[in-house]
Amino acid sequence: MLAKRIVPCLDIKDGTTVKGINFVNFRDAGDPVELGAQYSDQGADELVYLDITASHEGRKTFTELVKKVAARISIPFTVGGGINELKDVDRLLSAGADKVSINSAALRNPSLINEIAANFGSQVCVVAIDANMENNGWLCYLNGGRIPTDKQLFDWAKEAEDRGAGEILFTSMTHDGVKTGYANEALATLADSLHIPVIASGGAGKMEHFRDAFILGKADAALAASVFHFGEIGIGQLKDYLHHEGINVRI
């Protein structure tokens, strides 16, 4: 069985790492390159860097920052935000990123998933889905949780897989930053219906939440931000805990 992955996420706004609650009320969490280097040293399996206002502001993702991160860390990292065409993917991979995450652009132009998979391989293409629980269903959102769409989480995730996505990064907007646990029921439904890895995002507050995401939610990876950024949970400590709970992690 593949080891479960622990993935710190760095949301970048105006060149610094920030963290919000339910996608608003952001506070500063530090230098993205230094934080990334720390997490790499501490045993994180991967990192995700998201330029959280790039799509909303209609600009391209931070190539120079990607180069600095690549020079400092020794683990794979994914970059997202403002990726709209193959040239963006090529630029970020050339700068040192291992994968790209697309969200708003994929919802607006689903064939972008096919194009990335065909040109760079499915392993490069992470489709991020921000969804909110509304009227007993999970509705997908554009532009960092600002604009609702008519897409439903499970249908869209399946379509993304069929188009060539290599992973699904599902963030529950309902759970984001409130630290009460991941959306495990929805995660399990995704895991059961897809053949590609599912990354859990939104809701980590204590170590038990990671355990539950892997056991109840059947997630392949668990992504978190504030618990790592503000020193509430150490990555080594978390992996030791998960190992003792019988979960296969890289120690």
Side-chain angles (χ1 to χ4, degrees), residues 38 58 71 75 109 111 116 123 144 152 161 169 207 217 237 244 251:
Q38 287 174 30
I75 56 175
N109 174 24
S111 64
I116 294 172
Q123 78 283 352
Q152 295 291 325
E161 178 183 51
L169 167 53
M207 292 193 285
Q237 166 197 22
H244 287 300
I251 300 292

mmCIF file of all heavy atoms in Angstrom, residues 38 58 71 75 109 111 116 123 144 152 161 169 207 217 237 244 251:
data_model
loop_
_atom_site.group_PDB
_atom_site.id
_atom_site.type_symbol
_atom_site.label_atom_id
_atom_site.label_comp_id
_atom_site.label_asym_id
_atom_site.label_seq_id
_atom_site.Cartn_x
_atom_site.Cartn_y
_atom_site.Cartn_z
ATOM 1 N N GLN A 38 11.708 24.818 5.660
ATOM 2 C CA GLN A 38 11.487 24.206 6.980
ATOM 3 C C GLN A 38 10.674 22.922 6.856
ATOM 4 O O GLN A 38 11.005 21.894 7.457
ATOM 5 C CB GLN A 38 10.759 25.176 7.905
ATOM 6 C CG GLN A 38 11.591 26.326 8.425
ATOM 7 C CD GLN A 38 10.744 27.304 9.222
ATOM 8 O OE1 GLN A 38 9.760 26.939 9.853
ATOM 9 N NE2 GLN A 38 11.123 28.576 9.169
ATOM 10 N N GLY A 58 -6.678 38.212 -12.345
ATOM 11 C CA GLY A 58 -6.392 38.044 -13.764
ATOM 12 C C GLY A 58 -4.926 38.157 -14.123
ATOM 13 O O GLY A 58 -4.558 38.738 -15.137
ATOM 14 N N ALA A 71 15.059 25.939 -5.574
ATOM 15 C CA ALA A 71 16.474 25.957 -5.190
ATOM 16 C C ALA A 71 16.686 25.568 -3.731
ATOM 17 O O ALA A 71 17.795 25.186 -3.342
ATOM 18 C CB ALA A 71 17.055 27.353 -5.431
ATOM 19 N N ILE A 75 11.852 18.200 -1.927
ATOM 20 C CA ILE A 75 10.650 17.371 -2.082
ATOM 21 C C ILE A 75 9.801 17.933 -3.214
ATOM 22 O O ILE A 75 9.962 19.092 -3.602
ATOM 23 C CB ILE A 75 9.828 17.325 -0.766
ATOM 24 C CG1 ILE A 75 9.465 18.741 -0.298
ATOM 25 C CG2 ILE A 75 10.584 16.567 0.315
ATOM 26 C CD1 ILE A 75 8.544 18.779 0.918
ATOM 27 N N ASN A 109 -12.794 25.979 -18.712
ATOM 28 C CA ASN A 109 -12.336 25.345 -19.949
ATOM 29 C C ASN A 109 -11.864 23.928 -19.632
ATOM 30 O O ASN A 109 -10.664 23.675 -19.515
ATOM 31 C CB ASN A 109 -11.204 26.185 -20.558
ATOM 32 C CG ASN A 109 -10.579 25.507 -21.765
ATOM 33 O OD1 ASN A 109 -11.214 24.678 -22.428
ATOM 34 N ND2 ASN A 109 -9.324 25.824 -22.039
ATOM 35 N N SER A 111 -11.356 21.320 -21.233
ATOM 36 C CA SER A 111 -10.406 20.676 -22.147
ATOM 37 C C SER A 111 -8.959 20.997 -21.796
ATOM 38 O O SER A 111 -8.035 20.328 -22.269
ATOM 39 C CB SER A 111 -10.697 21.077 -23.599
ATOM 40 O OG SER A 111 -10.508 22.464 -23.782
ATOM 41 N N ILE A 116 -3.207 19.422 -20.810
ATOM 42 C CA ILE A 116 -2.066 19.275 -19.897
ATOM 43 C C ILE A 116 -1.648 17.807 -19.814
ATOM 44 O O ILE A 116 -0.461 17.475 -19.891
ATOM 45 C CB ILE A 116 -2.405 19.825 -18.495
ATOM 46 C CG1 ILE A 116 -2.613 21.336 -18.554
ATOM 47 C CG2 ILE A 116 -1.287 19.485 -17.494
ATOM 48 C CD1 ILE A 116 -3.131 21.944 -17.266
ATOM 49 N N GLN A 123 0.392 12.885 -14.444
ATOM 50 C CA GLN A 123 1.001 13.067 -13.117
ATOM 51 C C GLN A 123 1.282 14.529 -12.800
ATOM 52 O O GLN A 123 1.429 14.904 -11.638
ATOM 53 C CB GLN A 123 2.289 12.244 -12.990
ATOM 54 C CG GLN A 123 3.521 12.819 -13.670
ATOM 55 C CD GLN A 123 3.532 12.638 -15.183
ATOM 56 O OE1 GLN A 123 2.687 11.941 -15.741
ATOM 57 N NE2 GLN A 123 4.499 13.246 -15.852
ATOM 58 N N GLY A 144 -11.156 31.264 -6.169
ATOM 59 C CA GLY A 144 -10.863 31.226 -4.741
ATOM 60 C C GLY A 144 -12.097 31.296 -3.872
ATOM 61 O O GLY A 144 -12.112 31.961 -2.840
ATOM 62 N N GLN A 152 -21.421 20.093 -9.693
ATOM 63 C CA GLN A 152 -21.451 19.380 -8.426
ATOM 64 C C GLN A 152 -20.122 18.640 -8.233
ATOM 65 O O GLN A 152 -19.543 18.122 -9.189
ATOM 66 C CB GLN A 152 -22.612 18.381 -8.408
ATOM 67 C CG GLN A 152 -23.993 19.033 -8.473
ATOM 68 C CD GLN A 152 -24.356 19.799 -7.220
ATOM 69 O OE1 GLN A 152 -24.000 19.401 -6.110
ATOM 70 N NE2 GLN A 152 -25.070 20.915 -7.387
ATOM 71 N N GLU A 161 -11.192 13.352 -13.813
ATOM 72 C CA GLU A 161 -10.426 12.106 -13.944
ATOM 73 C C GLU A 161 -10.509 11.578 -15.376
ATOM 74 O O GLU A 161 -9.490 11.199 -15.972
ATOM 75 C CB GLU A 161 -10.957 11.048 -12.988
ATOM 76 C CG GLU A 161 -10.225 9.714 -13.133
ATOM 77 C CD GLU A 161 -10.797 8.616 -12.239
ATOM 78 O OE1 GLU A 161 -12.026 8.402 -12.258
ATOM 79 O OE2 GLU A 161 -10.003 7.964 -11.545
ATOM 80 N N LEU A 169 -7.572 17.488 -5.706
ATOM 81 C CA LEU A 169 -7.364 18.185 -4.436
ATOM 82 C C LEU A 169 -8.692 18.822 -4.052
ATOM 83 O O LEU A 169 -9.103 19.834 -4.620
ATOM 84 C CB LEU A 169 -6.272 19.237 -4.596
ATOM 85 C CG LEU A 169 -6.093 20.289 -3.494
ATOM 86 C CD1 LEU A 169 -5.943 19.653 -2.128
ATOM 87 C CD2 LEU A 169 -4.920 21.193 -3.788
ATOM 88 N N MET A 207 -4.252 16.225 15.449
ATOM 89 C CA MET A 207 -3.678 15.070 14.754
ATOM 90 C C MET A 207 -4.729 14.010 14.427
ATOM 91 O O MET A 207 -4.653 13.354 13.393
ATOM 92 C CB MET A 207 -2.533 14.495 15.582
ATOM 93 C CG MET A 207 -1.346 15.439 15.655
ATOM 94 S SD MET A 207 0.171 14.689 16.288
ATOM 95 C CE MET A 207 -0.218 14.581 18.022
ATOM 96 N N GLY A 217 -12.067 8.991 5.673
ATOM 97 C CA GLY A 217 -12.174 9.669 4.383
ATOM 98 C C GLY A 217 -11.458 8.954 3.249
ATOM 99 O O GLY A 217 -11.621 9.321 2.084
ATOM 100 N N GLN A 237 6.133 14.982 14.569
ATOM 101 C CA GLN A 237 5.228 14.552 15.641
ATOM 102 C C GLN A 237 3.961 13.920 15.041
ATOM 103 O O GLN A 237 3.491 12.868 15.485
ATOM 104 C CB GLN A 237 4.900 15.807 16.466
ATOM 105 C CG GLN A 237 3.751 15.728 17.439
ATOM 106 C CD GLN A 237 3.272 17.127 17.868
ATOM 107 O OE1 GLN A 237 3.508 18.122 17.168
ATOM 108 N NE2 GLN A 237 2.614 17.194 18.996
ATOM 109 N N HIS A 244 1.873 5.224 14.787
ATOM 110 C CA HIS A 244 1.392 4.473 15.943
ATOM 111 C C HIS A 244 -0.090 4.117 15.815
ATOM 112 O O HIS A 244 -0.569 3.171 16.447
ATOM 113 C CB HIS A 244 1.652 5.248 17.231
ATOM 114 C CG HIS A 244 3.091 5.254 17.629
ATOM 115 N ND1 HIS A 244 3.809 4.102 17.902
ATOM 116 C CD2 HIS A 244 3.980 6.268 17.780
ATOM 117 C CE1 HIS A 244 5.053 4.411 18.200
ATOM 118 N NE2 HIS A 244 5.191 5.709 18.127
ATOM 119 N N ILE A 251 8.465 7.831 7.469
ATOM 120 C CA ILE A 251 9.054 8.421 8.679
ATOM 121 C C ILE A 251 10.453 8.955 8.369
ATOM 122 O O ILE A 251 11.245 8.264 7.759
ATOM 123 C CB ILE A 251 9.140 7.369 9.824
ATOM 124 C CG1 ILE A 251 7.737 6.860 10.162
ATOM 125 C CG2 ILE A 251 9.812 7.964 11.038
ATOM 126 C CD1 ILE A 251 6.813 7.861 10.800
#
